[in-house]
Amino acid sequence: MNTPVSSTPILRRTLLWSAAGALVVGIVAGAIGFVVGGWNGMWSGLLGVFLAFVFLAITGASILIANRWFGDPLYVQIFFAIVLGGWLIKLGIFIVVMIVLSGQAWIQPMVFFLSIVAGVLLSLVVDVIVLTKMRLPHVSDVELPSEAPEDHAPSKTEEKGE
């Protein structure tokens, strides 16, 4: 990696805060799920928050992984291949998890659904907080030339054609 990508600290902080927030929301969702639906409700709440965090973390993690190739001539292609691969992995995991969980008697559907929604809302709140607190220039990851060749007056030898 030649130079650090300016989005890397933001993504790292977002992932860390999201993990901490998911732990808190998971405890709350598990407790509410237990009150509403017993042990099955607790596990449904915990699983919903966990899945929401995993699905949202895959995107941030894939961007962080892809940023390791910044400066490579094929950076753009590598970046989009890794991020698209992360989305395809998320889609595959989502389909498998939903097929497996659809037939489970222990899932409390409303607790599961609301805990997923709470996990997604948590992620949005964390994103807003991190992005408003972090400082990032409007134009980043660009090196400007220190001086342009046309800024210098031609020398006497250049004017004579020598």
Side-chain angles (χ1 to χ4, degrees):
M1 186 161 77
N2 297 343
T3 59
V5 180
S6 59
S7 65
T8 298
I10 293 172
L11 289 167
R12 282 187 184 147
R13 183 166 294 172
T14 300
L15 285 174
L16 289 173
W17 283 32
S18 294
L23 185 64
V24 172
V25 171
I27 291 169
V28 171
I32 292 172
F34 184 75
V35 169
V36 172
W39 290 106
N40 291 344
M42 182 194 75
W43 289 115
S44 297
L46 290 173
L47 183 62
V49 172
F50 175 74
L51 288 176
F53 172 72
V54 167
F55 289 141
L56 296 168
I58 288 174
T59 300
S62 67
I63 293 170
L64 282 172
I65 291 167
N67 280 346
R68 293 175 181 253
W69 280 271
F70 183 73
D72 189 282
L74 294 175
Y75 171 68
V76 173
Q77 292 86 345
I78 294 170
F79 179 87
F80 284 109
I82 291 173
V83 173
L84 180 60
W87 288 342
L88 291 174
I89 289 170
K90 274 199 308 191
L91 178 64
I93 291 172
F94 177 77
I95 290 171
V96 169
V97 166
M98 290 303 129
I99 288 172
V100 169
L101 293 179
S102 67
Q104 301 299 319
W106 59 271
I107 289 288
Q108 296 285 324
M110 189 54 71
V111 173
F112 182 68
F113 171 74
L114 291 176
S115 64
I116 288 177
V117 170
V120 170
L121 289 176
L122 165 78
S123 174
L124 293 174
V125 168
V126 166
D127 289 348
V128 167
I129 291 171
V130 169
L131 287 175
T132 56
K133 301 247 183 234
M134 296 289 290
R135 301 282 183 211
L136 182 66
H138 292 292
V139 179
S140 61
D141 305 331
V142 176
E143 283 189 37
L144 297 176
S146 58
E147 54 186 45
E150 59 270 4
D151 287 347
H152 295 287
S155 66
K156 299 226 181 232
T157 56
E158 291 175 355
E159 288 178 359
K160 293 180 183 176
E162 294 177 10

